[in-house]
Amino acid sequence: MVKPKSTAMGFEIKYESGFYRIEVDAGSGLLSAKWLRPVSADEIIRGGTKLYEVLQETQVERVVANAQALGALTSEAKEWMSTRFYELLSGTSLKKMARVLPDTVFHRIALESVVTRAEALGITKFLVKNFSRQQEALLWLDF
């Protein structure tokens, strides 16, 4: 784990790797997560688990998750996200998650289907909405 350091707007980096960054602005109650490049299923699981841990630690209720650089998801990654990942997040204080999706239609549909399946399984206990731009996502989160 990287030592926390402050960034713009009161954000503190809680986790950073070559593929994923998680920052929290405790004062405003916002967590910002960003995939930095296309990732493997193992990296999806590691990043998603770290997001869960940071949410548990900080009790933040709003998340903006930027997946614009994510790329294609393997079937293993989609399965884990639609079952275990959303179940983990539902065990935190999370109330609203705004997802910024890739421009590529194929990648966008894959990410949308993950949430649709999680919601159909009844494991998503928070609001999730998809966006094309970070600014739209922040507005929905009241920022």
Side-chain angles (χ1 to χ4, degrees):
M1 166 129 170
V2 68
K3 192 166 116 178
K5 55 187 170 189
S6 294
T7 60
M9 291 181 55
F11 279 98
E12 182 181 295
I13 296 173
K14 295 290 189 176
Y15 175 78
E16 190 165 32
S17 68
F19 60 90
Y20 196 50
R21 181 174 51 244
I22 300 171
E23 301 173 292
V24 174
D25 182 341
S28 65
L30 178 67
L31 182 148
S32 174
K34 185 172 186 174
W35 294 101
L36 304 175
R37 63 167 170 77
V39 295
S40 67
D42 179 59
E43 289 169 329
I44 284 274
I45 293 167
R46 286 195 338 230
T49 302
K50 184 52 77 172
L51 176 61
Y52 163 73
E53 291 169 0
V54 172
L55 282 170
Q56 283 288 84
E57 171 193 322
T58 61
Q59 300 294 302
V60 169
E61 295 183 355
R62 293 174 291 176
V63 169
V64 59
N66 190 315
Q68 289 178 307
L70 195 55
L73 295 175
T74 65
S75 56
E76 180 188 356
K78 287 192 281 192
E79 176 67 21
W80 183 82
M81 288 178 73
S82 64
T83 57
R84 188 73 184 124
F85 178 61
Y86 283 95
E87 183 178 47
L88 284 171
L89 296 187
S90 291
T92 69
S93 298
L94 183 60
K95 302 266 188 272
K96 290 174 87 174
M97 175 184 273
R99 300 188 323 158
V100 184
L101 301 184
D103 292 332
T104 309
V105 173
F106 177 74
H107 299 158
R108 185 179 198 83
I109 290 170
L111 284 167
E112 288 172 348
S113 72
V114 165
V115 171
T116 302
R117 180 159 180 238
E119 289 173 342
L121 292 170
I123 57 175
T124 307
K125 308 287 187 230
F126 52 91
L127 296 174
V128 181
K129 191 165 179 184
N130 299 320
F131 298 90
S132 326
R133 294 182 20 246
Q134 182 88 4
Q135 194 55 40
E136 294 168 342
L138 290 169
L139 286 172
W140 182 70
L141 292 170
D142 300 322
F143 282 90

